[in-house]
Amino acid sequence: MSVVNSESVVTNTRTPVVIIKPILYGNTAKHLGTKRDSDGHTHRWSVYIRSFNNDDLSTYVSKVQFRLHETYPNHARMITQAPFEVEESGWGEFETQITIFFADPNEKPVVFYHHLKLFSTDPDVVAGTKDLVNEHYDELIFQEPSDLLVRLLNCAKAFAPSTDENLATAKEYAIKKHDTIDRVKKARQRVRSEIQDLTERLRITQENIKRVRQRTMDNSSPMGTFSLSIHDNIKREIVD
């Protein structure tokens, strides 16, 4: 989840609310069928960011920058209107930086990183009969946004009514979100259990060390007394 910090460059009125906007970002790719002779490119791809609820992002997003690999001409692509996406072709995968700028310039931009994926083991994707889709769900969390941004966020309208496909997608991401949260909870519980186990093992080890030290001290005391007795006897014999 990405929290939109509402620190303003100038003083303006803030609204004490939290507004969450779910989004999708990622890329699609399709094999060209053969390596292109002119540049060696093998895939046509697009990288994008869009609303999960099919809202018009341009209502509250002013522009989105996609920073591509430096080998691309004009590799920092600034898109100033919806749809916020870049279409290109290539032969290799790389990490893209996606920066969202908001309609209220006092709101700090939000940055995402996305690994642009081209290759898959799916036979249909390899054959080029099906597009590869590498997509992620996230949420923009606006904490105490400006009055201007609140109005823009609340008036964002959907491009089209929800279709069966959109509802199916929403259900799929709801399941993924639930599974992700469940895995995080299980991982935290596993970490807590491991910490408790290590703490107990450390306690036992420290007790064992303490017992060994005590035993060593107990074993060395008679020897020290015996050595002292011999020394005293020798002194007495010399004196006598």
Side-chain angles (χ1 to χ4, degrees), residues 25-27 93-96 113-118 134 136:
Y25 67 96
N27 77 278
E93 299 182 349
F94 56 90
E95 185 179 64
T96 60
Y113 291 91
H114 171 70
H115 180 78
L116 189 138
K117 187 176 180 181
L118 300 182
N134 179 31
H136 304 282

Side-chain angles (χ1 to χ4, degrees), residues 21 31 42-43 49 63 65 73 78 101 105-106 123 133 162 164 190-191 197 199 221 223 230 235:
K21 288 292 184 179
H31 197 275
T42 57
H43 290 75
I49 182 168
K63 55 188 177 182
Q65 183 188 70
M78 190 70 76
F101 298 86
N106 294 314
V133 179
S162 296
D164 291 340
R190 186 166 60 251
V191 169
D197 180 60
T199 302
S221 295
M223 183 63 69
I230 294 175
K235 284 177 66 177

Side-chain angles (χ1 to χ4, degrees), residues 19-202:
I19 299 177
I20 299 175
K21 288 292 184 179
I23 59 170
L24 296 174
Y25 67 96
N27 77 278
T28 62
K30 187 171 184 177
H31 197 275
L32 296 174
T34 183
K35 182 185 292 186
R36 200 159 57 194
D37 293 335
S38 59
D39 51 20
H41 289 184
T42 57
H43 290 75
R44 169 68 59 178
W45 55 260
S46 66
V47 60
Y48 57 85
I49 182 168
R50 65 172 184 264
S51 168
F52 176 73
N53 296 328
N54 209 30
D55 291 341
D56 183 3
L57 282 181
S58 61
T59 304
Y60 54 91
V61 172
S62 62
K63 55 188 177 182
V64 177
Q65 183 188 70
F66 297 88
R67 187 173 292 274
L68 311 179
H69 193 273
E70 294 180 355
T71 54
Y72 283 91
N74 183 28
H75 68 279
R77 309 283 179 90
M78 190 70 76
I79 309 301
T80 57
Q81 60 183 9
F84 296 106
E85 64 179 33
V86 170
E87 294 185 353
E88 263 290 358
S89 63
W91 55 264
E93 299 182 349
F94 56 90
E95 185 179 64
T96 60
Q97 177 182 294
I98 305 173
T99 306
I100 303 175
F101 298 86
F102 298 102
D104 183 347
N106 294 314
E107 300 294 337
K108 289 187 176 181
V110 170
V111 179
F112 292 87
Y113 291 91
H114 171 70
H115 180 78
L116 189 138
K117 187 176 180 181
L118 300 182
F119 304 100
S120 170
T121 56
D122 186 329
D124 292 332
V125 173
V126 174
T129 57
K130 184 174 74 173
D131 288 359
L132 177 149
V133 179
N134 179 31
E135 194 171 70
H136 304 282
Y137 172 92
D138 211 318
E139 294 175 344
L140 296 174
I141 303 177
F142 297 87
Q143 295 182 343
E144 296 189 357
S146 66
D147 290 347
L148 169 61
L149 196 55
V150 168
R151 291 194 297 272
L152 296 175
L153 290 167
N154 288 332
C155 73
K157 297 181 180 180
F159 283 116
S162 296
T163 63
D164 291 340
E165 182 180 356
N166 291 338
L167 293 174
T169 302
K171 184 177 180 180
E172 178 185 353
Y173 275 97
I175 293 173
K176 288 183 178 180
K177 182 177 180 180
H178 178 271
D179 292 343
T180 301
I181 293 173
D182 186 56
R183 286 198 300 271
V184 170
K185 288 180 179 179
K186 289 180 178 178
R188 286 176 176 173
Q189 182 59 43
R190 186 166 60 251
V191 169
R192 282 196 293 266
S193 298
E194 290 177 357
I195 291 175
Q196 291 174 357
D197 180 60
L198 290 173
T199 302
E200 180 63 17
R201 289 167 60 184
L202 178 61

